[in-house]
């Protein structure tokens, strides 16, 4: 059945990607709304989410959903689809070509299936629990970098985490100084997929939502890497604070995040 879960997720993600590209560079101001400062939503986010949920409901009518724009729905307690219909909305609005669709299935409390679709570059990342991670059907693995000093790191600037921003910036300075380079792309789902495929060696961010991370976390684990919260625990989908790496540099990164970042009150 996992194969059918994955097929459904990929079909929905690819279809949503096509929908998103149809309006890329064509949005009008009337189609863009500000949810909170530095947090945008467009009509395309909502249409993409409707398309994804409709496609999954058609195949699995009893399953539940946790989606960015419409919240939670459905009746199933053991099958939960976690959906970000357009991760990187600000990038999309500004025609910066780094955004994605992220879909994951949590089955009986375990990440089971995940896909991250990059419609601009035609890349479809997929993973099934216990069966590996793939990019356009070719197996991917995390990098072999052993030291933070040699690592290309990625992060997301948490502009909305005002009460924790100074802590984050302290960790940013420390990791920047100790790593080989730093990138900020603006789509956490893609950043995590890039860790899974070895393009980045590590990633951390605070104040994310489950839909930003779920698919990417499974990709990394199935590609041989490690994902935790900033203190080495497994609560990142709930607390929103994530540390991801190729595994080799995880402990080195964790010593920094442990020292500079505190859990949300």
């Amino acid at each position: 059945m996992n194969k059918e879960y994955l097929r459904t997720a990929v079909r929905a993600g690819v279809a949503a990607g096509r929908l998103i590209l149809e309006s890329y560079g064509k949005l009008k101001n009337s189609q863009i709304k500000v949810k909170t400062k530095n947090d945008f939503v467009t009509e395309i986010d909502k249409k993409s989410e409707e398309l994804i949920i409709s496609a999954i409901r058609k195949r699995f009518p009893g399953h539940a959903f946790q989606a960015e724009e419409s919240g939670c729905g459905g009746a199933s307690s053991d099958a939960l689809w976690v959906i970000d219909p357009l991760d990187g909305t600000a990038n999309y609005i500004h025609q910066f070509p780094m955004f994605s669709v992220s879909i994951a299935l949590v089955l009986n409390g375990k990440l089971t299936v995940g896909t991250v679709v990059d419609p601009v570059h035609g890349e479809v990342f997929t993973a099934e629990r216990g069966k590996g991670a793939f990019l356009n059907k070719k197996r991917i693995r995390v990098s072999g970098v052993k030291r933070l000093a040699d690592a290309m790191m990625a992060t997301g600037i948490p502009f909305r985490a005002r009460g924790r921003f100074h802590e984050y910036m302290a960790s940013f300075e420390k990791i920047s100084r100790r790593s080989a380079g730093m990138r900020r792309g603006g789509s956490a789902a893609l950043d995590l997929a890039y860790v899974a495929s070895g393009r980045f060696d590590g990633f951390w961010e605070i104040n994310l939502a489950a839909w930003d991370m779920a698919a990417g976390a499974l990709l990394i684990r199935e590609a041989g890497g490690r994902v935790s919260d900033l203190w080495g625990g497994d609560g990142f989908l709930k607390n929103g604070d994530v540390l991801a790496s190729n595994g080799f540099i995880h402990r080195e990164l964790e010593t920094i995040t442990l020292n500079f970042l505190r859990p949300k009150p």
Side-chain angles (χ1 to χ4, degrees):
M1 182 58 78
N2 281 9
K3 286 292 184 184
E4 188 58 29
Y5 293 145
L6 184 60
R7 276 194 291 265
T8 301
V10 170
R11 287 170 184 164
V14 170
R18 285 197 297 265
L19 173 70
I20 289 166
L21 283 186
E22 287 174 3
S23 296
Y24 186 43
K26 302 174 185 176
L27 286 179
K28 300 176 181 178
N29 288 337
S30 61
Q31 295 176 290
I32 303 168
K33 294 183 179 179
V34 179
K35 291 193 284 188
T36 59
K37 183 174 174 58
N38 301 313
D39 192 7
F40 302 92
V41 64
T42 72
E43 289 182 9
I44 305 305
D45 293 72
K46 296 176 181 178
K47 288 179 179 179
S48 174
E49 186 167 294
E50 289 168 2
L51 184 157
I52 293 166
I53 291 177
S54 176
I56 295 173
R57 271 200 176 128
K58 186 175 181 179
R59 183 63 184 85
F60 304 108
H63 287 191
F65 298 89
Q66 182 182 4
E68 180 171 13
E69 306 307 332
S70 58
C72 297
S76 175
S77 60
D78 58 358
L80 176 68
W81 292 89
V82 185
I83 301 164
D84 193 334
L86 176 48
D87 185 52
T89 299
N91 285 351
Y92 181 76
I93 292 169
H94 290 85
Q95 297 179 53
F96 182 74
M98 189 169 182
F99 50 84
S100 61
V101 178
S102 177
I103 303 171
L105 173 63
V106 179
L107 196 60
N108 297 314
K110 296 179 179 179
L111 284 169
T112 301
V113 160
T115 185
V116 175
V117 178
D118 176 353
V120 171
H121 301 102
E123 295 191 326
V124 180
F125 297 86
T126 59
E128 293 180 79
R129 183 179 177 85
K131 296 185 178 180
F134 298 82
L135 168 55
N136 292 346
K137 299 184 179 180
K138 294 182 179 180
R139 186 177 289 272
I140 53 175
R141 296 286 299 176
V142 293
S143 74
V145 169
K146 300 294 195 300
R147 304 185 309 153
L148 180 55
D150 301 320
M152 174 69 79
M153 291 295 301
T155 189
I157 309 297
F159 293 110
R160 297 187 296 277
R162 294 185 179 278
R164 307 171 74 202
F165 192 74
H166 69 287
E167 295 178 14
Y168 166 80
M169 289 307 298
S171 73
F172 180 91
E173 180 179 3
K174 190 71 171 180
I175 293 174
S176 295
R177 288 179 179 273
R178 289 181 58 177
S179 65
M182 184 74 70
R183 299 292 182 268
R184 196 271 181 176
S187 169
L190 271 183
D191 286 334
L192 292 167
Y194 282 13
V195 174
S197 58
R199 295 172 180 173
F200 292 142
D201 304 304
F203 170 82
W204 88 107
E205 191 169 352
I206 64 173
N207 282 49
L208 290 174
W211 47 74
D212 298 313
M213 301 179 283
L218 183 61
L219 283 166
I220 291 171
R221 287 174 171 173
E222 289 300 316
R226 185 178 170 195
V227 186
S228 70
D229 64 22
L230 302 177
W231 309 278
D234 199 36
F236 58 94
L237 289 180
K238 292 183 179 179
N239 62 36
D241 299 333
V242 65
L243 176 63
S245 77
N246 62 4
F248 298 111
I249 63 171
H250 207 88
R251 184 61 61 85
E252 197 174 353
L253 286 167
E254 194 178 291
T255 61
I256 298 172
T257 56
L258 273 167
N259 286 329
F260 287 96
L261 289 153
R262 295 171 294 177
K264 282 184 291 189

